Structures are given as C-alpha cells and as structure tokens.
Amino acid sequence: LRVLTRGRLIELIRQMGLDRGQRIDEELAREVGKKAGVRVLLLASVQKLGETYVAELRAIDPERDAYLFTLQEKATGKDGLLHLIDRLSDRARGELREGQADVKANEVNVADAVTPSLEAYRHYFQGLERSARLDDDGALAEFRAAVAIEPRFALAELEIAQLDSLYGRDGDPAFQRAFAHAETLPVKERELVRAQVAFKRGRKADAVAILEPLALRFPDDRFVALTDKPQTFAD
C-alpha cells in the first residue's frame, strides 16, 4: 500500500484552487482523490455513547463513487481509543488484501509509535497540519508542545529535528533524542533517524544505502526528498 501524505494532499488542493484553510471533509477528499488517482479513500468517524466510543471506517472508490467496505470498532473510555485504531488498521489492511508478510513488516502499535497521551497527539497532529500548510513556525511550536507533555515522543522529536535542520539550526540534539527511542518509530521515520546517525558518524555510504530505497518508497514525502541528497542531509 502507498498512502498519499497529508502534505501532498494539501498541495493538490492548492493546485485545484480549493485551499480556503478549511478542514478536509468528505466532499473535498473525494474531489482531490479523483485528481490524484487514489483508488481507495478511507473516511473515519467517532461517536461517544456514554463511556463507549464507536468508530466507523468507510472505504470508498472515489473514481466510481462506490463503497468498498465499512468497518466498526468499539472502545470503553479514552484509554482504549489507540488500541481501537490498531484494530481498525489491521482489519482495513486485510480488506485491502495487503499480504500478511507486508502487514507484519510494517506493523505499528499506535500507542508506542505515536504516544499514549491524546493531548500530546493533538499537538502533534496540529503540527503536521501546519507543516503541510507550510506554516513551519507554527508547526514547530506544536511539536514542542507535544514533547513538553510526552518527553519520549520520538515522532515529534524527529519533526523538530527536521525543521531545525531545514532552517540551518542544530537539529542534532532532537535527532539524538528521537534515536534513543527509534525502536518505537514507524519504518520511514526509523530509517530517517538511522540515516542521520550514520551521517553524523561519518558513514555516508551507509546513510545513502538507507535513503535511496526510502525515496523510492515515499516519493511524496518532502523530508525524505530533502534528505535523499547527501550534501543537504549531511549539512
């Protein structure tokens, strides 16, 4: 499976002249999905019924405007929401006929890879939203707020490090903090951290060997694209 990044999605919205700073709702997502040639659009919703959270995930083919499948999961209390996401993810990947070997190779426990703190995650998500809209100063403030709540938040530390490096600041301290918890990171982010550490230790060939397949696998990710140039990445 290849997932369209949020940054690429917002870039397409701009190209279509539809960027009015609004949330990406179903109607807009369908329109952009058609332009991007997306084969499956996943739409999620959550409702709270007493102490129970009910999440529904609908899969739509935007080209044919047809429903492919609908999944539902329940959780009791906020503490169960991240596990609910993991269950929905596993079931969706099964419905999309992703091979079991690929599922296992890319399996991520959300509570570990992201954060068990929903408040820290809220800041992290808002940081990604701001970054996708090229508000890097606002994004940096959100990522730092996430780390202040959850100091072991490796994904947020990685975003801070990448933004610091992008603007000529010393991103190494944040990279080192992300590297300390690299085992919790998803594949793309873990490999970016490994490559950065290899560069810092003078193993440029090892870093390039990590980055080249990463660039092929995630061609729409702007940080992967930036770091796929050894001179830029080393600097």
Side-chain angles (χ1 to χ4, degrees), residues 211-223:
L211 290 171
E212 286 180 343
L214 207 61
L216 292 174
R217 185 172 175 186
F218 302 100
D220 296 326
D221 189 286
R222 71 167 174 152
F223 282 120

Side-chain angles (χ1 to χ4, degrees), residues 32-111:
V32 178
K34 288 179 183 178
K35 179 176 177 60
V38 169
R39 295 176 60 186
V40 181
L41 177 65
L42 297 177
L43 301 166
S45 63
V46 182
Q47 288 185 314
K48 186 180 181 184
L49 305 173
E51 292 302 312
T52 300
Y53 290 87
V54 181
E56 183 178 81
L57 184 68
R58 292 175 292 140
I60 298 171
D61 180 339
E63 189 63 40
R64 295 188 296 120
D65 198 26
Y67 282 92
L68 302 175
F69 58 84
T70 300
L71 304 175
Q72 190 178 91
E73 286 286 345
K74 297 181 180 180
T76 301
K78 285 186 177 181
D79 290 344
L81 282 173
L82 296 179
H83 298 295
L84 177 152
I85 293 171
D86 285 332
R87 295 195 301 273
L88 273 180
S89 172
D90 288 344
R91 291 179 61 191
R93 292 167 75 177
E95 290 284 349
L96 294 170
R97 296 181 175 84
E98 187 176 9
Q100 284 300 310
D102 289 331
V103 172
K104 287 296 181 185
N106 298 286
E107 200 167 37
V108 174
N109 183 302
V110 174

Side-chain angles (χ1 to χ4, degrees), residues 132-181:
R133 296 187 183 278
L134 304 182
D135 175 12
D136 288 339
D137 289 339
L140 188 60
E142 293 289 355
F143 294 136
R144 285 174 173 166
V147 171
I149 295 169
E150 176 53 76
R152 294 168 56 88
F153 200 165
L155 271 176
E157 290 283 17
L158 179 58
E159 295 289 343
I160 291 169
Q162 290 171 327
L163 285 170
D164 281 343
S165 297
L166 187 63
Y167 287 96
R169 299 185 292 264
D170 183 11
D172 194 51
F175 266 116
Q176 291 297 334
R177 291 192 294 271
F179 183 65
H181 306 292

Side-chain angles (χ1 to χ4, degrees), residues 3-20 22-43 60-63 65 133 220:
V3 180
L4 192 68
T5 67
R6 194 167 191 80
R8 177 59 177 156
L9 187 65
I10 291 175
E11 181 183 332
L12 287 168
I13 291 172
R14 287 199 197 96
Q15 290 175 6
M16 296 168 68
L18 300 174
D19 189 13
R20 295 180 289 275
Q22 78 271 43
R23 292 180 62 184
I24 302 173
D25 58 16
E26 179 174 341
E27 181 182 356
L28 182 56
R30 283 174 182 253
E31 196 169 346
V32 178
K34 288 179 183 178
K35 179 176 177 60
V38 169
R39 295 176 60 186
V40 181
L41 177 65
L42 297 177
L43 301 166
I60 298 171
D61 180 339
E63 189 63 40
D65 198 26
R133 296 187 183 278
D220 296 326

